[in-house]
Amino acid sequence: MNRIKAFGAFWYDFVVGDDWHVAALIVAGLGLTAILTHVAGVNAWWLLPLVAFAALGWSLLRATPRK
């Protein structure tokens, strides 16, 4: 049981890391891309890199000190 718990803790730390907001935005971006692709028939490959770039920028903006 300890190995299963350690494996789960590793993946949680790897995916979520220090900022769960970024992980939530990436999951939302994956979901929105899937919905646009499968339901609306839109070629939405470009959406996930855009969401990832925006999430990274937002995370850096929150992490850097203001002057």
Side-chain angles (χ1 to χ4, degrees), residues 12-33:
Y12 178 81
D13 191 40
F14 181 73
V15 173
V16 176
D18 293 331
D19 195 1
W20 66 270
H21 296 102
V22 174
L25 285 172
I26 297 301
V27 168
L30 280 169
L32 186 59
T33 302

Side-chain angles (χ1 to χ4, degrees), residues 3-65:
R3 290 184 183 190
I4 294 172
K5 187 176 179 181
F7 185 73
F10 163 76
W11 279 108
Y12 178 81
D13 191 40
F14 181 73
V15 173
V16 176
D18 293 331
D19 195 1
W20 66 270
H21 296 102
V22 174
L25 285 172
I26 297 301
V27 168
L30 280 169
L32 186 59
T33 302
I35 289 170
L36 285 175
T37 301
H38 294 294
V39 175
V42 176
N43 189 3
W45 63 268
W46 49 268
L47 183 61
L48 190 58
L50 185 68
V51 169
F53 185 72
L56 176 62
W58 182 59
S59 175
L60 286 172
L61 183 67
R62 290 182 348 152
T64 54

